[in-house]
Amino acid sequence: MVPHLVTALNGPLFDLEKNILAATPAIERWFRLEWQEHTPPFYCSVDLRNAGFKLAPVDTNLFPGGFNNLSAEMLPLAVQAAMAAIEKYCPDAKNLLLIPERHTRNTFYLQNIARLVQIFRQTGLNVRLGSLSEELTEPTPIQLPDGTTLMLEPLEYQQGGRRLGLKNFDPCTILLNNDLSSGIPAILENLHEQNVLPPLHAGWAVRRKSNHFAAYDEVVKKFAKLIDVDPWMLNPFFAKCQDVNFQEHDGEERLAANVDSLLTKIRKKYREYGIKEAPFVIVKADAGTYGMGIMTVTDARQIKDLNHKQRSKMAVVKEGLAVTDVILQEGVPTFERINDAVAEPVVYMIDRYVVGGFYRVHAERAINENLNAPGAHFVPLAFAQPHALPDMHAKPGTAAPNRFYMYGVVARLALLAASLELEKTDPNPEIY
Amino acid sequence: MVPHLVTALNGPLFDLEKNILAATPAIERWFRLEWQEHTPPFYCSVDLRNAGFKLAPVDTNLFPGGFNNLSAEMLPLAVQAAMAAIEKYCPDAKNLLLIPERHTRNTFYLQNIARLVQIFRQTGLNVRLGSLSEELTEPTPIQLPDGTTLMLEPLEYQQGGRRLGLKNFDPCTILLNNDLSSGIPAILENLHEQNVLPPLHAGWAVRRKSNHFAAYDEVVKKFAKLIDVDPWMLNPFFAKCQDVNFQEHDGEERLAANVDSLLTKIRKKYREYGIKEAPFVIVKADAGTYGMGIMTVTDARQIKDLNHKQRSKMAVVKEGLAVTDVILQEGVPTFERINDAVAEPVVYMIDRYVVGGFYRVHAERAINENLNAPGAHFVPLAFAQPHALPDMHAKPGTAAPNRFYMYGVVARLALLAASLELEKTDPNPEIY
């Protein structure tokens, strides 16, 4: 199951939540059996949107940043899950090489790295940081706001170029916290008996959101049958649209037509369930992350009316990667608020275990907008207080509603989808 | 690794602790490799004694009570470890039958059962309680001090006597929290495709402390070589003495001679390390638990001088089991105190994970006495505060000493010894 955390929302549980809570033993058994067949990604964070009438993942990150936003009391849980993960890949591990993003001066991001170092040191590994940046040619200490220091070191081949490490450091496992947006570095390829985690094809050089959500479709179809709900309750409609050039207006008609047909599908569902909200579609790059190249569309005509600035924003994502393929995703309005600001829960997992979560809160964004943008702040989810520990066998009204459990379930559905996605897109399935 | 908890002792680390902390990556790797070869007991608690110059387990309980004495914040860790354990034995589990001790009216003990129920419910299992008591013929609710209720139910065969369960309840796993001191109930034998955990030969009807400590000798010999310390630093000397009848004075001479030779061995070690404490030996029943049938001896002559009351106390343990075989164990004085009262740490594990601990504190006992006796109270170990999170890579003096880590290591050595012990004493090794 998952840690019991206090969520912002503490009104009555909705039908979907009641269904999920009632089916807990069946759900947990189902996950256990699925994990017998599929290997979970090493780690993962999932952005969720809770519309009240529907709860769905909207982004599944296989190189999660933000571990520093989890509350410190979740650390032992993360350490225990990391032990289970390491044991699976390399039981005789002593050394772990962690490769962070290149932009080495972002102290917010580096606090995430510091937290990861802490987690893996506490599993009993020697952890050192290797940089993919070619400008980093000698060990470089970086001061963090809390006064501690991270040491970034240049990568160095070991054993005559067959293994990658650092000076006097031959790791058994190389853990990437770099999403490879700018391509797969040759230095990471063809290594000898070293685990590169997540695998290289999980990076945005290869990975596509549309593959992930296609796998999620499959997972949710099975799961929805298990708990007897409409799969749509847990799943945003999506479509993909290739060979679009926003600057040159190429593929614009096709994109608008796709948006229109998606809005029509959503409208039909909204009518079916008597939902009064205005349907919207999120258009985003099929590859890439960091909330760039993303927009909210409520009418297909908006596509043709994009101004120059909007077009340039959609045309490139992180590290200058050009956008030609986009995914259109049913927008899920977020129902949750913290102090009147719009909030979405983000759930963190290591191996198959939920290890914590937080709310991403944005005071200047609307309920139908992307919150992963400058100005967002993070509110860690803390453990539920002992007196409020939820118990589904308690009499109704005598225990706090266990809303976070449902978030953990849906996040794990996305985790399982990522596992299927990585299996299907593996270029070398025989050595997987 | 293990949760980072605040211990009572916060003076400087001793040499043994420094050795253990420095070798953390090697130690964790060693445990990972050992757990590839051996299956840990389902759950376990270990009583430790820290003498400053030496740290050793003195009792390894395979049917641990006292889960309710762990702090509530450890619960998620226990749930996660229980998920890993269940997955190993029965991934398609939905129903768990928990069998508590017979003495159903002890509310302290029943709070332990309530906590176990909570842990396993939160892993997503249906949990119900079955009683071995023949007097319990219908479902019987028992009120706990916190106002909640436990329902004890009579056991009932399922599927024509091939499987054991409750009315309308066919469990895949039967978890014993009953140490079988009074023998193995026939009802638990020869069940069809049901896991009985721990296995029946882990119960005191079959189990012997001397087998456990013989296995512990082996484990510590390997481990001490790894971290380059004298195995004695982690291991109490022991000897066993069979066919003793305290009431009839049978075997008294032999027992006294054994005590004397053990005291001589301890004295020699004390001289080697310049230890000024007075050596003592603990004499206790080779089978059985609950701190009964146990005494502290500082001179072999005390054996012959036992008075009538002392003899009767040694002659029987729990459930009236007669004592004929005893184990003599080097006494380890406890160095730890909470508010001037003598304290010993107790570490809890589920599967191979440390999930928490507490201090057993006894204000009326001396440092060389058994603390598991009426009048003891329990001080849960809480997580270290975030600002005090120990980091072995921190500069000396900048981080709180991580004493609890060492407790977790030694407790896991005892856990591993229990695993070897159960392998060696298994009456049906082929189906183990």
Side-chain angles (χ1 to χ4, degrees):
Chain A
M1 193 139 148
V2 301
H4 286 81
L5 300 178
V6 176
T7 50
L9 209 57
N10 50 21
L13 292 172
F14 298 96
D15 285 348
L16 175 62
E17 298 185 87
K18 283 187 197 143
N19 270 358
I20 286 182
L21 276 183
T24 301
I27 291 171
E28 295 302 321
R29 175 175 178 270
W30 184 81
F31 273 119
R32 278 196 300 269
L33 294 173
E34 290 291 330
W35 295 132
Q36 305 279 312
E37 303 293 320
H38 307 286
T39 303
F42 188 83
Y43 53 7
C44 180
S45 71
V46 176
D47 295 357
L48 299 175
R49 303 281 286 210
N50 185 1
F53 58 86
K54 149 167 212 163
L55 174 73
V58 294
D59 198 15
T60 302
N61 191 342
L62 297 177
F63 303 87
F67 272 95
N68 52 315
N69 294 324
L70 304 182
S71 80
E73 27 169 6
M74 311 305 280
L75 194 57
L77 215 48
V79 171
Q80 191 174 290
M83 281 178 77
I86 288 293
E87 191 175 75
K88 190 181 298 176
Y89 292 103
C90 190
D92 70 348
K94 269 165 113 173
N95 296 337
L96 178 85
L97 174 62
L98 178 59
I99 298 188
E101 293 283 346
R102 262 177 232 255
H103 50 77
T104 55
R105 299 291 162 184
N106 178 338
T107 53
F108 285 110
Y109 173 71
L110 288 170
Q111 287 172 65
N112 163 61
I113 291 297
R115 179 61 72 95
L116 284 171
V117 168
Q118 189 182 26
I119 290 170
F120 290 104
R121 284 203 179 139
Q122 292 198 6
T123 68
L125 292 167
N126 296 313
V127 185
R128 284 166 64 179
L129 302 175
S131 174
L132 281 174
S133 167
E134 278 143 27
E135 288 146 33
L136 194 126
T137 52
E138 54 183 35
T140 306
I142 299 191
Q143 192 86 22
L144 296 184
D146 68 355
T148 58
T149 300
L150 283 181
M151 183 66 78
L152 282 170
E153 300 181 61
L155 297 172
E156 194 172 277
Y157 280 116
Q158 300 288 319
Q159 301 192 9
R162 299 163 74 224
R163 290 168 66 95
L164 188 62
L166 306 173
K167 195 180 176 95
N168 302 322
F169 191 71
D170 183 6
C172 127
T173 300
I174 299 172
L175 180 62
L176 299 175
N177 197 255
N178 179 313
D179 65 18
L180 308 180
S181 283
S182 57
I184 296 177
I187 200 170
L188 291 175
E189 290 184 298
N190 303 318
L191 297 175
H192 180 72
E193 291 182 354
Q194 283 182 306
N195 298 296
V196 178
L197 298 169
L200 296 175
H201 68 284
W204 285 121
V206 179
R207 190 174 179 223
R208 295 294 173 265
K209 295 187 179 93
S210 50
N211 289 331
H212 177 70
F213 284 98
Y216 187 74
D217 273 355
E218 259 185 67
V219 167
V220 167
K221 202 180 287 173
K222 282 174 71 177
F223 180 80
K225 195 173 283 177
L226 177 78
I227 63 161
D228 195 24
V229 299
D230 180 347
W232 178 76
M233 293 294 182
L234 298 163
N235 197 2
F237 289 130
F238 80 97
K240 69 174 174 175
C241 196
Q242 293 180 298
D243 304 317
V244 175
N245 184 325
F246 284 95
Q247 309 270 36
E248 308 288 331
H249 296 248
D250 284 354
E252 198 169 82
E253 294 287 342
R254 235 179 332 119
L255 181 58
N258 269 317
V259 166
D260 203 45
S261 93
L262 203 54
L263 283 168
T264 306
K265 278 170 81 177
I266 304 168
R267 251 177 238 118
K268 204 176 144 216
K269 277 289 180 190
Y270 276 24
R271 269 199 305 276
E272 181 182 340
Y273 291 105
I275 294 157
K276 304 279 178 250
E277 316 268 337
F280 64 102
V281 162
I282 299 287
V283 180
K284 51 188 174 183
D286 201 12
T289 182
Y290 275 68
M292 294 164 88
I294 181 163
M295 63 182 172
T296 301
V297 183
T298 51
D299 187 316
R301 279 171 300 188
Q302 290 168 307
I303 298 291
K304 293 177 204 163
D305 297 343
L306 287 175
N307 64 28
H308 179 71
K309 190 176 158 206
Q310 289 166 322
R311 285 178 192 279
S312 4
K313 271 177 83 177
M314 286 304 292
V316 287
V317 287
K318 197 183 146 208
E319 311 232 12
L321 210 64
V323 174
T324 56
D325 298 350
V326 296
I327 177 172
L328 320 182
Q329 194 176 48
E330 172 191 343
V332 182
T334 180
F335 180 82
E336 296 210 62
R337 284 169 186 278
I338 290 182
N339 298 333
D340 288 338
V342 173
E344 66 187 11
V346 186
V347 176
Y348 279 69
M349 289 158 290
I350 294 180
D351 196 78
R352 60 205 180 284
Y353 302 106
V354 173
V355 298
F358 57 77
Y359 279 105
R360 183 183 288 125
V361 185
H362 206 307
E364 286 138 43
R365 295 270 168 145
I367 61 163
N368 66 353
E369 284 184 298
N370 169 41
L371 304 186
N372 192 356
H377 69 276
F378 307 97
V379 179
L381 290 165
F383 285 129
Q385 289 308 300
H387 64 267
L389 265 177
D391 182 343
M392 72 203 119
H393 293 260
K395 278 191 207 132
T398 63
N402 186 7
R403 178 156 278 127
F404 188 76
Y405 176 62
M406 186 175 68
Y407 294 166
V409 169
V410 178
R412 284 183 291 163
L413 294 176
L415 182 74
L416 182 55
S419 167
L420 298 179
E421 171 203 352
L422 291 178
E423 282 170 24
K424 282 187 188 159
T425 56
D426 188 357
N428 302 300
E430 71 283 3
I431 61 159
Y432 192 75
Chain B
M1 195 139 145
V2 300
H4 286 80
L5 301 178
V6 176
T7 50
L9 208 57
N10 51 20
L13 292 172
F14 297 96
D15 285 348
L16 175 63
E17 298 185 87
K18 284 188 196 146
N19 270 357
I20 287 181
L21 277 182
T24 302
I27 291 171
E28 294 303 320
R29 175 174 177 271
W30 184 80
F31 274 120
R32 279 195 300 271
L33 295 173
E34 291 292 329
W35 295 132
Q36 305 280 310
E37 304 293 320
H38 307 286
T39 303
F42 189 83
Y43 54 8
C44 180
S45 70
V46 176
D47 295 357
L48 298 175
R49 303 282 286 211
N50 185 2
F53 57 87
K54 142 168 221 169
L55 174 72
V58 293
D59 198 15
T60 302
N61 191 341
L62 297 177
F63 303 87
F67 272 95
N68 52 315
N69 293 323
L70 303 181
S71 81
E73 28 168 4
M74 311 305 282
L75 195 56
L77 216 48
V79 171
Q80 190 175 293
M83 282 177 77
I86 288 293
E87 191 175 76
K88 190 179 299 175
Y89 292 102
C90 190
D92 71 348
K94 270 166 113 172
N95 296 338
L96 178 83
L97 174 62
L98 178 58
I99 298 189
E101 293 284 344
R102 264 176 230 255
H103 50 79
T104 56
R105 298 292 162 184
N106 177 338
T107 53
F108 286 109
Y109 173 72
L110 288 170
Q111 286 172 66
N112 164 62
I113 292 296
R115 180 59 73 93
L116 284 171
V117 169
Q118 188 182 25
I119 290 169
F120 291 104
R121 283 202 180 140
Q122 292 197 6
T123 68
L125 293 166
N126 297 313
V127 185
R128 284 166 64 179
L129 302 175
S131 175
L132 281 174
S133 167
E134 276 142 30
E135 288 146 35
L136 194 127
T137 51
E138 55 182 33
T140 305
I142 300 193
Q143 191 87 21
L144 296 185
D146 68 354
T148 59
T149 299
L150 284 181
M151 183 66 80
L152 282 169
E153 300 181 61
L155 297 172
E156 193 171 277
Y157 280 116
Q158 302 286 320
Q159 301 192 7
R162 299 165 72 227
R163 289 168 67 94
L164 188 63
L166 306 173
K167 194 178 177 100
N168 303 321
F169 190 71
D170 184 4
C172 126
T173 300
I174 299 172
L175 180 61
L176 300 175
N177 197 255
N178 179 313
D179 65 19
L180 309 180
S181 283
S182 57
I184 296 176
I187 201 170
L188 291 175
E189 290 183 298
N190 305 317
L191 297 175
H192 180 72
E193 291 182 354
Q194 282 182 308
N195 297 297
V196 178
L197 297 169
L200 297 175
H201 68 284
W204 285 122
V206 179
R207 191 176 177 223
R208 295 294 173 265
K209 295 186 180 94
S210 49
N211 289 331
H212 177 70
F213 284 98
Y216 187 74
D217 272 354
E218 258 185 67
V219 167
V220 167
K221 203 180 285 172
K222 281 174 71 178
F223 180 80
K225 197 174 279 178
L226 177 78
I227 63 162
D228 194 24
V229 298
D230 180 346
W232 178 76
M233 294 292 183
L234 299 162
N235 196 3
F237 288 130
F238 81 96
K240 69 174 174 175
C241 197
Q242 293 180 300
D243 304 318
V244 175
N245 185 324
F246 284 94
Q247 310 271 35
E248 308 288 329
H249 296 249
D250 285 352
E252 198 169 83
E253 294 285 341
R254 238 180 330 119
L255 180 57
N258 269 316
V259 166
D260 202 47
S261 94
L262 203 54
L263 282 169
T264 306
K265 279 170 80 180
I266 304 168
R267 252 179 238 119
K268 205 175 144 217
K269 277 289 179 190
Y270 276 25
R271 268 199 305 276
E272 181 183 341
Y273 291 104
I275 294 158
K276 304 278 178 251
E277 316 269 338
F280 64 102
V281 162
I282 299 287
V283 179
K284 50 189 173 182
D286 201 12
T289 182
Y290 275 68
M292 295 163 88
I294 182 164
M295 62 181 172
T296 301
V297 183
T298 52
D299 188 315
R301 280 171 298 187
Q302 289 169 306
I303 298 289
K304 293 178 205 165
D305 297 343
L306 288 174
N307 62 29
H308 180 72
K309 190 176 159 206
Q310 287 166 323
R311 286 179 191 277
S312 4
K313 272 176 83 176
M314 286 305 291
V316 287
V317 288
K318 198 182 146 204
E319 311 231 13
L321 210 62
V323 175
T324 57
D325 298 349
V326 295
I327 177 172
L328 321 183
Q329 195 176 45
E330 173 191 342
V332 182
T334 181
F335 181 84
E336 297 210 61
R337 282 169 186 279
I338 290 181
N339 298 334
D340 288 337
V342 173
E344 66 187 11
V346 185
V347 176
Y348 278 69
M349 290 159 289
I350 294 180
D351 197 76
R352 60 206 179 284
Y353 302 106
V354 173
V355 299
F358 57 78
Y359 279 104
R360 183 182 289 127
V361 185
H362 207 306
E364 285 139 44
R365 294 269 167 147
I367 60 164
N368 66 353
E369 284 185 297
N370 169 43
L371 305 185
N372 192 356
H377 68 277
F378 307 98
V379 178
L381 290 165
F383 284 130
Q385 289 308 300
H387 64 268
L389 264 177
D391 182 342
M392 73 203 116
H393 293 259
K395 279 191 206 131
T398 64
N402 186 6
R403 178 156 279 124
F404 188 76
Y405 175 62
M406 186 176 69
Y407 294 166
V409 169
V410 178
R412 285 183 289 163
L413 293 176
L415 182 75
L416 182 56
S419 166
L420 298 180
E421 172 203 350
L422 291 177
E423 282 170 26
K424 282 187 187 158
T425 56
D426 188 357
N428 302 301
E430 72 283 3
I431 61 161
Y432 192 77

